[in-house]
Amino acid sequence: FRAREIAPSAVAGAALWGTPRQVTAGLAALVRVAGAVPRCELVLRLGYPGLDLPDSLRLLELFAADVLPRLHETLTERGGTDDLRIPVL
């Protein structure tokens, strides 16, 4: 199986990538929109075919160390997170 190339514009509204600050901003916006939907869950994929295990683990570590705490802080500062449960590692 060989995956075909996907243009960034094809996933612009469905995928986030960039610096921890950019990903945090994108996730915060998604969480705010999803907050209006009862029982909404955010599913993340940090490993992809062709990405070595050490690189996948580094993405997970970066997400846990830099994105989740920023996301929690961002959403807490803006209020409305009483029902929001974000695990911070």
Side-chain angles (χ1 to χ4, degrees):
F1 173 76
R2 184 176 193 106
R4 61 188 162 101
E5 287 191 38
I6 299 173
S9 61
V11 293
L16 297 170
W17 61 86
T19 65
R21 192 175 302 275
Q22 291 168 323
V23 172
T24 298
L27 283 174
L30 288 174
V31 169
R32 291 273 180 225
V33 170
V37 178
R39 188 94 172 104
C40 184
E41 296 178 3
L42 179 65
V43 178
L44 303 171
R45 180 175 183 176
L46 299 172
Y48 295 91
L51 191 62
D52 294 337
L53 181 59
D55 290 334
S56 292
L57 291 175
R58 177 68 186 123
L59 285 175
L60 180 59
E61 291 168 355
L62 183 64
F63 185 82
D66 292 348
V67 175
L68 276 180
R70 285 176 195 246
L71 181 60
H72 189 266
E73 182 179 317
T74 299
L75 294 173
T76 302
E77 284 175 357
R78 294 183 185 159
T81 59
D82 295 338
D83 248 359
L84 186 63
R85 291 178 190 91
I86 299 177
V88 179
L89 306 174

